[in-house]
């Protein structure tokens, strides 16, 4: 499955090539503070200078803007210190979400922001990514994933050694939910200028996975065993680009890797 850490326990392969746990993505960065980001990165370009000309290349990989995930359960008020800290963090995240949605709405000159429409598209993209990863469809992965995620999954596909994966989606345990929204812009609240948005979505779905060798023998997983899988998936889009779409940038580690 395309899950990295969150679904590494979904099956227990019986051949050596499948005993390697899917590693956590190394490219997920901590929260970006604009004052710490080079000006060229904020503007979305990297400049290469020479005596005769200067070439500018768009940047899409600025790390995960915010990796805060609200806890599944709040601490008891009897543990007042942790309870107060959790409430403060949730409040801070909610305010930042509102501000970022406001920026996205103002910057979206080509397609207006609609959270329900976004969640529907995000759910389909998530399923397309997992299905394409299981089938080894690099073309589809390149369409629905950004560069770092695509590279990570492509490298995993290369090491399969003549085995076939079969992934199935069996519905939602809970509806997808937006938990974090961030947007960086080179021109503040102006309608114009470069802007990138990231949205973290809580995906709690029912999935099954099976692995077959070249003789079609089951060597890992169980196609009839359904697991409840919890993941936090980060989607990214260049808001200022009319041609761009929401793609999977990466994942943020879930509080619980696998809920049974």
């Amino acid at each position: 499955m395309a899950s990295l850490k969150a679904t590494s326990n979904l099956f227990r392969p019986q051949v050596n090539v499948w005993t390697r746990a899917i590693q956590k993505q190394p490219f997920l960065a901590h929260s970006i503070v604009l004052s710490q980001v080079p000006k060229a990165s904020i503007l979305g370009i990297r400049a290469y200078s020479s005596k005769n000309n200067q070439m500018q290349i768009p940047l899409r990989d600025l790390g995960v803007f915010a990796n805060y995930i609200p806890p599944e359960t709040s601490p008891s008020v009897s543990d007042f210190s942790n309870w107060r800290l959790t409430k403060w963090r949730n409040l801070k995240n909610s305010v930042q979400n509102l501000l970022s949605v406001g920026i996205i709405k103002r910057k979206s000159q080509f397609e207006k922001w609609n959270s329900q429409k976004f969640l529907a598209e995000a759910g389909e993209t998530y399923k397309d990514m997992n299905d394409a990863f299981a089938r080894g469809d690099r073309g589809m992965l390149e369409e629905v994933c950004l560069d770092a995620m695509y590279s990570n999954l492509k490298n995993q596909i290369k090491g399969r050694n003549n085995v076939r994966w079969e992934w199935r989606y069996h519905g939602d345990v809970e509806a997808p939910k937006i938990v974090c929204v961030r947007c960086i812009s080179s021109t503040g609240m102006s309608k114009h200028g470069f802007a990138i948005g990231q949205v973290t979505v809580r995906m709690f779905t029912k999935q099954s996975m099976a692995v077959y060798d070249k003789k079609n023998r089951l060597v890992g997983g169980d196609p009839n065993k359904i697991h409840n899988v919890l993941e936090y998936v980060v989607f990214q889009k260049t808001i200022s680009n009319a041609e761009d779409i929401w793609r999977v940038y990466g994942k943020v580690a879930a509080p619980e890797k696998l809920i049974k």
Side-chain angles (χ1 to χ4, degrees), residues 53-64:
N53 58 14
Q54 182 175 2
M55 179 174 62
Q56 295 181 339
I57 300 177
L59 291 182
R60 297 192 298 181
D61 192 351
L62 299 177
V64 174

Side-chain angles (χ1 to χ4, degrees), residues 8-25:
S8 60
N9 294 325
L10 192 57
F11 56 91
R12 294 181 179 272
Q14 301 167 2
V15 292
N16 290 337
V17 68
W18 299 114
T19 58
R20 298 193 300 268
I22 301 176
Q23 298 178 346
K24 181 179 179 181
Q25 299 176 57

Side-chain angles (χ1 to χ4, degrees), residues 2-232:
S3 165
L4 301 182
K5 272 288 188 181
T7 57
S8 60
N9 294 325
L10 192 57
F11 56 91
R12 294 181 179 272
Q14 301 167 2
V15 292
N16 290 337
V17 68
W18 299 114
T19 58
R20 298 193 300 268
I22 301 176
Q23 298 178 346
K24 181 179 179 181
Q25 299 176 57
F27 53 83
L28 294 184
H30 294 292
S31 300
I32 284 186
V33 180
L34 290 182
S35 61
Q36 299 174 350
V37 180
K39 183 177 180 181
S41 294
I42 297 177
L43 295 177
I45 59 172
R46 177 174 292 156
Y48 296 88
S49 299
S50 64
K51 292 182 179 180
N52 299 323
N53 58 14
Q54 182 175 2
M55 179 174 62
Q56 295 181 339
I57 300 177
L59 291 182
R60 297 192 298 181
D61 192 351
L62 299 177
V64 174
F65 301 161
N67 58 4
Y68 177 68
I69 300 299
E72 290 294 309
T73 58
S74 298
S76 172
V77 70
S78 60
D79 186 2
F80 184 72
S81 179
N82 285 335
W83 177 85
R84 180 179 61 180
L85 180 60
T86 300
K87 290 294 184 182
W88 164 247
R89 287 176 173 172
N90 287 342
L91 176 61
K92 181 180 178 182
N93 182 61
S94 296
V95 171
Q96 290 176 318
N97 287 351
L98 288 173
L99 291 174
S100 295
V101 168
I103 295 175
I104 291 175
K105 285 183 175 180
R106 187 166 178 80
K107 292 281 187 179
S108 299
Q109 303 180 57
F110 312 103
E111 182 180 4
K112 295 302 180 182
W113 169 264
N114 182 294
S115 59
Q116 294 304 314
K117 181 180 178 181
F118 166 79
L119 284 172
E121 293 177 354
E124 291 302 315
T125 300
Y126 175 72
K127 287 184 283 187
D128 287 343
M129 177 185 68
N130 283 303
D131 182 61
F133 178 70
R135 292 185 292 103
D137 187 343
R138 300 183 189 181
M140 175 59 71
L141 283 176
E142 197 167 16
E143 288 183 20
V144 299
C145 298
L146 285 170
D147 302 338
M149 187 68 169
Y150 169 71
S151 177
N152 188 295
L153 300 180
K154 180 183 67 174
N155 290 336
Q156 292 180 42
I157 291 173
K158 288 180 179 179
R160 289 186 178 174
N161 298 330
N162 297 320
V163 292
R164 176 174 60 86
W165 285 32
E166 185 178 281
W167 176 84
R168 290 288 183 269
Y169 166 78
H170 301 276
D172 295 327
V173 179
E174 296 178 11
K177 179 182 178 182
I178 295 173
V179 297
C180 188
V181 184
R182 296 294 184 269
C183 183
I184 63 171
S185 169
S186 63
T187 55
M189 290 297 293
S190 170
K191 288 186 177 182
H192 306 286
F194 178 81
I196 289 182
Q198 282 187 357
V199 182
T200 303
V201 180
R202 180 181 184 271
M203 298 284 191
F204 197 6
T205 58
K206 298 177 182 180
Q207 306 177 16
S208 64
M209 169 64 77
V211 181
Y212 300 89
D213 65 13
K214 60 183 179 181
K215 294 184 179 180
N216 208 36
R217 295 175 299 191
L218 182 67
V219 295
D222 184 344
N224 299 315
K225 188 172 183 179
I226 299 175
H227 295 262
N228 296 340
V229 180
L230 175 63
E231 295 187 293
Y232 291 86

